[in-house]
Amino acid sequence: MTLKLKHLIPASIAATVLFSGIANATILTVFDGIPTGSASFDATVTGAGGTVVSDVWAALPSGGTSIVRTDYTITRNNGGSLFPTTYGSMSGQVISINPDGNFPGSNGTIASGITFTFNNPVNSFGFEVGDWATCCFNPTTDLYISFDDGAPILVASASTETEGQFPNAAGSIVHEIFVAAFDDSGDFTKVQFWGTGSGEVLVAGGEIKYALLDQGSLPPTNGVPEPASLALLGIGMAGLAAMRRRKAA
């Protein structure tokens, strides 16, 4: 599991109490084999005080432009039809993504991906991906997740076939992975996923997992404040120094 610090948000500070009430906004990503990656998602959510909701895809309707689940609706980013199928040892049905762009290479666009529109906000989202990193490295094949049309979050990247191979629950080495993204800076109702490996028969779905975490509930990657926070620290230090001078006088 990879961890990235997005930013530190100073919520309140006083001259005598440094960094009081600062909330951490963190982006986390998961990229691993399905059993391990799914367990990592669960551990991250529960560790932050959240509750994992799981939806295994089964008996999905075929041929329409949208699929309605209990908590969300699935559509294609380009408005096209959806044709669920099965793949390998993945937990449930999947939808083919087929990254667009010039074959072969890492040049697929968001238009070829899928969108999950939630009835209620989430900020943690994960699912299974199959047939990834089997070809089309130029120099890499990448997978992205985006919340509410925000900046794309890179959740997986490979430059060789072996980088996309992991053991499944039976111990066989397969091109099946679990990817996820977390962003506790807010909550979102739209999640998009796409790949860049034009020429791949990329599939996504299986078991979908999601959660809503409290803002600032994920641990930051480190405790080093950004320049704005350092400036506030300087103000606090100056205040403490002034108090000492007044006491000495």
Side-chain angles (χ1 to χ4, degrees):
M1 183 172 71
T2 58
L3 180 74
K4 297 180 181 178
L5 177 65
K6 187 178 182 183
H7 55 272
L8 297 173
I9 303 176
S12 64
I13 189 168
T16 56
V17 183
L18 303 181
F19 301 113
S20 173
I22 293 178
N24 296 310
T26 303
I27 286 181
L28 293 173
T29 60
V30 169
F31 163 40
D32 211 325
I34 290 175
T36 305
S38 182
S40 294
F41 181 91
D42 294 353
T44 301
V45 170
T46 56
T51 301
V52 176
V53 181
S54 175
D55 180 27
V56 177
W57 284 358
L60 299 181
S62 182
T65 57
S66 65
I67 297 174
V68 179
R69 303 296 286 173
T70 301
D71 293 335
Y72 59 92
T73 299
I74 312 161
T75 55
R76 281 196 176 279
N77 295 350
N78 60 10
S81 298
L82 300 162
F83 296 96
T85 185
T86 57
Y87 181 85
S89 56
M90 294 174 68
S91 302
Q93 288 182 289
V94 296
I95 293 172
S96 178
I97 304 299
N98 296 331
D100 55 11
N102 298 321
F103 173 81
S106 182
N107 47 36
T109 70
I110 189 174
S112 62
I114 52 177
T115 295
F116 302 80
T117 304
F118 281 84
N119 302 330
N120 297 297
V122 300
N123 54 18
S124 308
F125 183 73
F127 54 98
E128 300 172 14
V129 176
D131 202 27
W132 175 69
T134 57
C135 70
C136 315
F137 309 103
N138 189 29
T140 61
T141 173
D142 303 323
L143 303 178
Y144 290 95
I145 291 175
S146 173
F147 292 107
D148 278 1
D149 299 313
I153 300 170
L154 178 65
V155 292
S157 182
S159 57
T160 65
E161 287 193 31
T162 56
E163 292 177 287
Q165 294 176 326
F166 292 88
N168 61 12
S172 300
I173 302 301
V174 294
H175 282 273
E176 299 169 8
I177 61 175
F178 189 92
V179 296
F182 308 78
D183 183 350
D184 70 349
S185 66
D187 48 62
F188 316 94
T189 56
K190 179 181 179 181
V191 184
Q192 290 177 292
F193 167 74
W194 68 99
T196 65
S198 301
E200 289 182 326
V201 185
L202 188 67
V203 299
E207 183 176 18
I208 311 298
K209 293 190 172 187
Y210 45 96
L212 177 63
L213 305 180
D214 290 338
Q215 286 186 264
S217 59
L218 292 169
T221 53
N222 57 57
V224 179
E226 289 190 347
S229 299
L230 289 171
L232 289 172
L233 175 60
I235 294 171
M237 295 293 286
L240 290 174
M243 289 177 64
R244 291 193 187 99
R245 286 197 295 270
R246 285 197 297 271
K247 184 176 180 180

